[in-house]
Amino acid sequence: MSDAAPVPAPSPAPGLRIEGATLRYEAATVFDRLDMTVPAGRWTCLLGPSGVGKTSLLRLAAGLPSEGAAVAGRVLADDGRPLAGRIAYMAQRDLLAPWASALDNVLLGPRLRGEMRGPRKAALRARAMALLERVGLADRAQALPGELSGGMRQRVALARTLIEDRPVVLMDEPFSALDALTRHRLQAQAVELLAGRTVLLVTHDPLEALRVGDRIEVLTGAPARLADPALDPAGAPPRATDAAEIARLHGALLERLAGGEAPAPQALEAAE
Amino acid sequence: MSALDLLRPLIVAAGLLALWQAAVWLTGAPPFILPGPVAVAGVLADKAGLLAYHAAITGAEILLGLLLGTLFGGASALTLSAFRPARRWLMPVLVVSQALPVFALAPLLTLWFGYGMASKVAMATLIIYFPVTSAFYDGLRRTELGWLDLARTMGASKLSTLWRLRLPAALPAFGSGLRVAAAVAPIGAVVGEWVGSSAGLGYLMLHANARMQVSTVFAALAVLAVLSLILFFAVDRGVRRLTRWRPEA
């Protein structure tokens, strides 16, 4: 299943610029006037300890609300065109609809936008089937999510993200709930399938960031700041995790994460 | 399901009937106070036509009430969840309306809708309206927030999010409301008949009770119980089919 060629990215993927990102709860400031660049067509990993505000930053980039917080900042595409409709979002949980088959779950986006009618319907179905085949689940197309393993479910979610065909993909710890082996395989698969797209992946796992990231940004402290400079590990992802260099960087990243100011407990709670 | 699972309720029922008959024999209660199951069975056979006629009327009232109550309740829940102003203005009305005992309205309904079926249908509708509305509305309100995020990034309209995600997700809650409705709808219809009617099992019971035909009262009760059970299990089955994807706890 790792022989998957990338699903061709639609048009050249733009890079992102997050400018002046600010998120405040009544009790704490999660981050304040934060700037971040996400290079075009590559994987950027946003690494940080739990509760530092990674998810909030990703949600801000995705245009999703953060309940009960004052949010400011803008997210721009570096090609000058608006970002609306060019972002796909993948969450930590697979968020599959339990009443719908794997195939119908892949088709959720087209269904929600009312595209599943007329001549397009057959084409979209065929595309969904092709994507399920790419993630190795062609024979489980009619299975309900409850009948699939966690890894399979996340692969269906990946196919659901791919059918959206968006040049920018934002992912919030999509592999963290999986067992180590499944995670390892799925990371490689995702890197191959999403090649050419601009990917921003949030993770708390330094090893995951080292495996899939072209660039690794470390977010620590309260209010949170990005470590400067960002880390650009050598070699193309997915990197083997047994290399000495990766082990060294893993240790260094852990130190960097541990060295960040510990955020106040309320801030941790609020940012979750 | 083993044979014992099927037999168990029958054994329990037979045991209860035997106890009942024994109580009648031991106490020597006259049949116009406590008829035994044998006497009631006799009435069930003798007056089968009469019982069937009244059962059909009560059954129709229950079904119509269930249908209307589900329709109104479903529509109300959808309106409440779709429009914030509706929520602000109607929710208090809905809650206050529940402070009124529905039974107390029965005489009024009879006054307004007459002695025929309409007042009983209205009664059954009223009594199931609230459980259906509140259960379904609750289900619609508790949509997994992640799904709403996903729908938003997918560029879904509010309406299609409601139709494709929130509605199917609320079906189990809606089903719970329907089960309650199926259990209480017969109560609504019979109470309506007691207050004023010219037909139906409730009417038959009242009529027979006044003439000390207690075995007929028991026979009507037995028919009503069977009717209610059939209705409940039919609805339960339908709900299960509708929410087959949901793992049974």
Side-chain angles (χ1 to χ4, degrees), chain B residues 205-232:
Chain B
M205 275 185 246
L206 221 56
H207 188 86
N209 203 43
R211 282 160 190 73
M212 302 291 259
Q213 297 166 350
V214 180
S215 46
T216 305
V217 176
F218 273 82
L221 266 176
V223 173
L224 185 65
V226 169
L227 212 62
S228 302
L229 281 175
I230 291 173
L231 180 72
F232 182 81

Short mmCIF file of all heavy atoms in Angstrom, two decimals, chain B residues 205-232:
data_model
loop_
_atom_site.label_atom_id
_atom_site.label_comp_id
_atom_site.label_asym_id
_atom_site.label_seq_id
_atom_site.Cartn_x
_atom_site.Cartn_y
_atom_site.Cartn_z
N MET B 205 -65.03 0.21 28.46
CA MET B 205 -64.68 -0.07 29.85
C MET B 205 -65.58 0.70 30.81
O MET B 205 -66.11 0.15 31.77
CB MET B 205 -63.22 0.33 30.11
CG MET B 205 -62.22 -0.72 29.76
SD MET B 205 -60.59 -0.15 30.26
CE MET B 205 -59.83 0.02 28.70
N LEU B 206 -65.73 2.00 30.53
CA LEU B 206 -66.54 2.85 31.39
C LEU B 206 -67.99 2.35 31.43
O LEU B 206 -68.61 2.23 32.48
CB LEU B 206 -66.49 4.28 30.81
CG LEU B 206 -66.36 5.41 31.81
CD1 LEU B 206 -65.13 5.21 32.67
CD2 LEU B 206 -66.24 6.73 31.04
N HIS B 207 -68.48 2.05 30.22
CA HIS B 207 -69.85 1.58 30.05
C HIS B 207 -70.06 0.28 30.81
O HIS B 207 -71.04 0.13 31.56
CB HIS B 207 -70.09 1.38 28.54
CG HIS B 207 -71.50 1.07 28.19
ND1 HIS B 207 -72.44 2.06 27.98
CD2 HIS B 207 -72.13 -0.11 28.00
CE1 HIS B 207 -73.59 1.50 27.68
NE2 HIS B 207 -73.44 0.17 27.69
N ALA B 208 -69.14 -0.66 30.65
CA ALA B 208 -69.28 -1.97 31.30
C ALA B 208 -69.11 -1.85 32.81
O ALA B 208 -69.81 -2.51 33.58
CB ALA B 208 -68.25 -2.94 30.72
N ASN B 209 -68.18 -1.00 33.23
CA ASN B 209 -67.92 -0.81 34.65
C ASN B 209 -69.18 -0.33 35.36
O ASN B 209 -69.53 -0.80 36.44
CB ASN B 209 -66.78 0.20 34.82
CG ASN B 209 -66.07 0.04 36.15
OD1 ASN B 209 -65.80 -1.08 36.58
ND2 ASN B 209 -65.80 1.16 36.81
N ALA B 210 -69.89 0.61 34.74
CA ALA B 210 -71.11 1.16 35.33
C ALA B 210 -72.19 0.10 35.47
O ALA B 210 -73.08 0.22 36.29
CB ALA B 210 -71.60 2.33 34.47
N ARG B 211 -72.12 -0.94 34.63
CA ARG B 211 -73.13 -2.01 34.69
C ARG B 211 -72.60 -3.25 35.40
O ARG B 211 -73.19 -4.33 35.27
CB ARG B 211 -73.55 -2.37 33.26
CG ARG B 211 -74.52 -1.35 32.70
CD ARG B 211 -74.57 -1.39 31.18
NE ARG B 211 -75.33 -0.24 30.70
CZ ARG B 211 -74.85 1.00 30.72
NH1 ARG B 211 -73.66 1.25 31.20
NH2 ARG B 211 -75.59 2.01 30.29
N MET B 212 -71.50 -3.09 36.11
CA MET B 212 -70.90 -4.19 36.87
C MET B 212 -70.47 -5.35 35.98
O MET B 212 -70.36 -6.48 36.44
CB MET B 212 -71.87 -4.70 37.96
CG MET B 212 -72.31 -3.63 38.94
SD MET B 212 -70.96 -3.09 39.99
CE MET B 212 -71.34 -4.01 41.48
N GLN B 213 -70.28 -5.08 34.70
CA GLN B 213 -69.78 -6.16 33.82
C GLN B 213 -68.25 -6.14 33.88
O GLN B 213 -67.58 -5.81 32.91
CB GLN B 213 -70.27 -5.94 32.38
CG GLN B 213 -71.78 -6.00 32.28
CD GLN B 213 -72.28 -5.46 30.95
OE1 GLN B 213 -71.51 -4.88 30.18
NE2 GLN B 213 -73.56 -5.64 30.69
N VAL B 214 -67.74 -6.51 35.03
CA VAL B 214 -66.31 -6.34 35.26
C VAL B 214 -65.48 -7.24 34.34
O VAL B 214 -64.38 -6.88 33.92
CB VAL B 214 -65.97 -6.60 36.74
CG1 VAL B 214 -64.48 -6.42 37.00
CG2 VAL B 214 -66.76 -5.62 37.60
N SER B 215 -66.04 -8.40 33.99
CA SER B 215 -65.26 -9.27 33.10
C SER B 215 -65.08 -8.61 31.73
O SER B 215 -64.05 -8.81 31.07
CB SER B 215 -65.91 -10.65 32.98
OG SER B 215 -67.29 -10.50 32.75
N THR B 216 -66.05 -7.81 31.29
CA THR B 216 -65.90 -7.09 30.03
C THR B 216 -64.81 -6.02 30.16
O THR B 216 -64.02 -5.79 29.24
CB THR B 216 -67.23 -6.44 29.62
OG1 THR B 216 -68.22 -7.44 29.58
CG2 THR B 216 -67.12 -5.76 28.27
N VAL B 217 -64.76 -5.35 31.35
CA VAL B 217 -63.71 -4.36 31.60
C VAL B 217 -62.34 -5.03 31.46
O VAL B 217 -61.45 -4.51 30.79
CB VAL B 217 -63.86 -3.75 33.01
CG1 VAL B 217 -62.69 -2.80 33.29
CG2 VAL B 217 -65.19 -3.03 33.15
N PHE B 218 -62.23 -6.22 32.10
CA PHE B 218 -60.95 -6.93 32.01
C PHE B 218 -60.62 -7.34 30.58
O PHE B 218 -59.48 -7.24 30.13
CB PHE B 218 -60.98 -8.16 32.93
CG PHE B 218 -60.56 -7.86 34.34
CD1 PHE B 218 -61.45 -7.33 35.24
CD2 PHE B 218 -59.25 -8.11 34.73
CE1 PHE B 218 -61.07 -7.03 36.54
CE2 PHE B 218 -58.85 -7.81 36.03
CZ PHE B 218 -59.76 -7.27 36.94
N ALA B 219 -61.63 -7.77 29.86
CA ALA B 219 -61.41 -8.19 28.47
C ALA B 219 -60.91 -7.00 27.65
O ALA B 219 -59.96 -7.12 26.87
CB ALA B 219 -62.69 -8.76 27.89
N ALA B 220 -61.56 -5.83 27.85
CA ALA B 220 -61.15 -4.63 27.11
C ALA B 220 -59.72 -4.24 27.49
O ALA B 220 -58.92 -3.86 26.63
CB ALA B 220 -62.12 -3.48 27.41
N LEU B 221 -59.41 -4.37 28.79
CA LEU B 221 -58.05 -4.06 29.25
C LEU B 221 -57.02 -4.97 28.57
O LEU B 221 -55.96 -4.52 28.12
CB LEU B 221 -57.96 -4.26 30.76
CG LEU B 221 -58.18 -3.04 31.63
CD1 LEU B 221 -58.13 -3.44 33.10
CD2 LEU B 221 -57.11 -1.99 31.35
N ALA B 222 -57.38 -6.26 28.48
CA ALA B 222 -56.47 -7.22 27.86
C ALA B 222 -56.23 -6.84 26.40
O ALA B 222 -55.09 -6.84 25.92
CB ALA B 222 -57.04 -8.63 27.96
N VAL B 223 -57.29 -6.48 25.70
CA VAL B 223 -57.16 -6.10 24.29
C VAL B 223 -56.29 -4.85 24.18
O VAL B 223 -55.40 -4.76 23.31
CB VAL B 223 -58.55 -5.87 23.66
CG1 VAL B 223 -58.40 -5.30 22.25
CG2 VAL B 223 -59.34 -7.16 23.63
N LEU B 224 -56.53 -3.90 25.08
CA LEU B 224 -55.75 -2.65 25.05
C LEU B 224 -54.26 -2.94 25.28
O LEU B 224 -53.39 -2.38 24.61
CB LEU B 224 -56.28 -1.69 26.11
CG LEU B 224 -55.63 -0.30 26.12
CD1 LEU B 224 -55.95 0.44 24.84
CD2 LEU B 224 -56.10 0.49 27.34
N ALA B 225 -54.00 -3.85 26.23
CA ALA B 225 -52.61 -4.18 26.54
C ALA B 225 -51.93 -4.79 25.31
O ALA B 225 -50.80 -4.44 24.96
CB ALA B 225 -52.55 -5.14 27.72
N VAL B 226 -52.65 -5.71 24.66
CA VAL B 226 -52.08 -6.36 23.47
C VAL B 226 -51.82 -5.31 22.39
O VAL B 226 -50.77 -5.28 21.75
CB VAL B 226 -53.02 -7.46 22.95
CG1 VAL B 226 -52.57 -7.96 21.57
CG2 VAL B 226 -53.07 -8.62 23.94
N LEU B 227 -52.79 -4.42 22.20
CA LEU B 227 -52.66 -3.35 21.21
C LEU B 227 -51.42 -2.51 21.48
O LEU B 227 -50.61 -2.22 20.59
CB LEU B 227 -53.92 -2.47 21.30
CG LEU B 227 -54.45 -1.80 20.05
CD1 LEU B 227 -54.85 -2.84 19.04
CD2 LEU B 227 -55.66 -0.93 20.41
N SER B 228 -51.26 -2.11 22.75
CA SER B 228 -50.13 -1.25 23.13
C SER B 228 -48.81 -1.98 22.92
O SER B 228 -47.83 -1.38 22.46
CB SER B 228 -50.24 -0.83 24.59
OG SER B 228 -51.46 -0.16 24.79
N LEU B 229 -48.79 -3.28 23.28
CA LEU B 229 -47.55 -4.04 23.12
C LEU B 229 -47.16 -4.16 21.66
O LEU B 229 -46.00 -3.98 21.29
CB LEU B 229 -47.72 -5.44 23.74
CG LEU B 229 -47.60 -5.49 25.26
CD1 LEU B 229 -47.89 -6.89 25.77
CD2 LEU B 229 -46.19 -5.07 25.68
N ILE B 230 -48.17 -4.48 20.83
CA ILE B 230 -47.87 -4.60 19.38
C ILE B 230 -47.31 -3.28 18.87
O ILE B 230 -46.30 -3.25 18.16
CB ILE B 230 -49.15 -4.99 18.60
CG1 ILE B 230 -49.55 -6.41 18.95
CG2 ILE B 230 -48.91 -4.85 17.09
CD1 ILE B 230 -50.88 -6.83 18.35
N LEU B 231 -47.96 -2.19 19.25
CA LEU B 231 -47.51 -0.87 18.79
C LEU B 231 -46.08 -0.60 19.25
O LEU B 231 -45.22 -0.22 18.46
CB LEU B 231 -48.44 0.22 19.35
CG LEU B 231 -48.08 1.62 18.94
CD1 LEU B 231 -48.41 1.84 17.48
CD2 LEU B 231 -48.82 2.64 19.81
N PHE B 232 -45.82 -0.87 20.54
CA PHE B 232 -44.49 -0.57 21.06
C PHE B 232 -43.42 -1.38 20.34
O PHE B 232 -42.40 -0.84 19.92
CB PHE B 232 -44.42 -0.84 22.57
CG PHE B 232 -43.08 -0.50 23.15
CD1 PHE B 232 -42.76 0.81 23.46
CD2 PHE B 232 -42.13 -1.48 23.33
CE1 PHE B 232 -41.51 1.14 23.97
CE2 PHE B 232 -40.87 -1.16 23.83
CZ PHE B 232 -40.57 0.15 24.15
#
